[in-house]
Amino acid sequence: MSNLEMVPKGLDGVVVDKTELSRVDGTNGVLVYRGYNIDEVAQCSFEEICYLFLYGDLPNIEQLKKIDKRLKAERSLPKAVWDFVANAPKNEHPMAVLRTAVSMLSGYMLNVDDLSSDVLLRHAIALTSKVSTISAAISRARQGLFAVEPSFDLSHAANYLYMSTGEIPQDVVAKTLDMALVLHADHGFNASTFTARVVTSSLSDMVSAVTAAIGSLKGPLHGGANTAVMEMLIEIGSLENVENWVNQTLQQKRKIMGFGHRVYKTIDPRAKHLKRMSKEWGERAGNVKWFLMSEKIEDMMQSFKHLNANVDFYSASTYYAMGIEPEMFTAIFAVARTIGWTSHIIEQLVDNRIMRPEAAYAGPENKMFVPIEKRS
Ligand code: SDX
C-alpha cells in the first residue's frame, strides 16, 4: 500500500482546486455567483448570467445586447442532429439522447480542438444555445411531434418553451423558467462540473467535456433527482398518503429524492426560490396538491432526518405545474448548467494540470503465472 494519505470516499470535503465562478457555503446556506448573492441575481435574465460567467461581471445594456445576439445566432442545429433527435428510440432516456446529440456537434463546429480563449468563448456560447434547441427537439420527438425551429427573437427561456410547445409562451411562464435556469446555472465542483473539468484537464475538447458532464448529470443522485421527485409525488398520489409513504420509505432505508446535499447542511438557498415558485404555480394552475404534498414531505424530512430540500425538490412540482413532462426535467437542468460547465472548462484551462489521483491497490500480489494450456 502506498504511504499516501487516503481522502474521504466521494472526495467529501476535499478541496481540489480554486474557482472564481461560484461559492457554495454549506454551513450558512449561501450561493454566490462571481461575488453576487444568488438571492440578488435570481432576478437576472439567463443571458445576464451567461455574460457574468463568461466575462466576469454583470453586463451593461450594450454588452447584454451583444451576448443576446450571439446566443440567438447559435440556436440552429446541423440537419444530421435534427434528424438524429427525430429518429432516436422513443423509449431512450432524454439525457441519453441529449448526450449523443451534443457529441455529434463536434463534427460541425469549426476548430473544435482549438483551446484558444476566443474559440473557447465561441464554443461556450454555441453549446449553451444548442443544448437548449436539442432539449426542446427531444421533448417534441418524445410527443411524436415535429421539431419547431428556434425563434431568433425570443429570450433563451422563452425560446426553449416555444420550441417545446410550438406556441409563444406567456411572459409569466417564460420569466419562471428564466429564473429556474439562473438558479441552476452553476454550483461549484458538483459531480457533473467536476467531470467536465477532469475531461478538460487532459486538454480534450469542450464538446467531449460537456458530453461527459451530461452523462454525470443524468444520474438520480445528481440532476436526475428532479424527475425522480415528480415520479415519487405521482406514486404517493395524495396528501393523505404522504405520511405513510414517507415513514415506510425511511423504514426501508430508501432515500427520498430531492433531499440532502453533500455541501449544504442547511436550507439550499435555491430551494427557497423554487418553493415559492412551486406554490405560485400550483395556485396559478388551480392545483396546489403537489405543492402541499411537497411541503408535508419537507416537514417530515426535516423533523425525522434533519435533511433539507435541495434544488431538485421544488423544481419538480414547479415544472410539472408549468406543463413540462417529468422525463424532461433533467434536460432542463442541463439547459441551465451548460453555461456553468463551459465556464468551468475555460477556467480549468487557465491554470491546468491533468487530474490523476492515486489509488490504494487492494488486490492480490505475487500470484504464480500458469500458461493457459495448464490452467484447469
Ligand atoms: C444536485 O453537488 C451539488 O452541488 C449538486 C447540485 C448542483 O447544483 O449541481 O446541488 C444538484 O445534485 C442536488 C442533489 C440531488 N440528489 C438527490 O436529491 C438524491 C437524494 N440525495 C442523496 O442521494 C444525497 O443526499 C446526496 C447524493 C445529495 C448527497 O449524498 P452524500 O453527501 O453522499 O450523503 P450520504 O448519501 O452519505 O447520506 C448521509 C446520510 C445517510 O444516512 P446514514 O446512512 O448515515 O444513516 O443521510 C442519509 C443517508 O442515508 N440521506 C438520506 C438522503 N440523503 C442522505 N436519507 C433519505 N433520503 C435522502 N435523500
Side-chain angles (χ1 to χ4, degrees), residues 151-163:
S151 146
F152 295 95
D153 304 318
L154 296 171
S155 72
H156 192 78
N159 181 50
Y160 175 81
L161 293 164
Y162 166 68
M163 295 186 294

Side-chain angles (χ1 to χ4, degrees), residues 187 221-222 255-256 258-259 261-262 270 310 312 337:
H187 208 246
L221 294 187
H222 188 14
K255 291 194 169 173
I256 295 189
F259 287 92
H261 199 277
R262 176 58 62 77
R270 301 166 295 178
N310 57 48
D312 289 302
R337 190 53 60 88

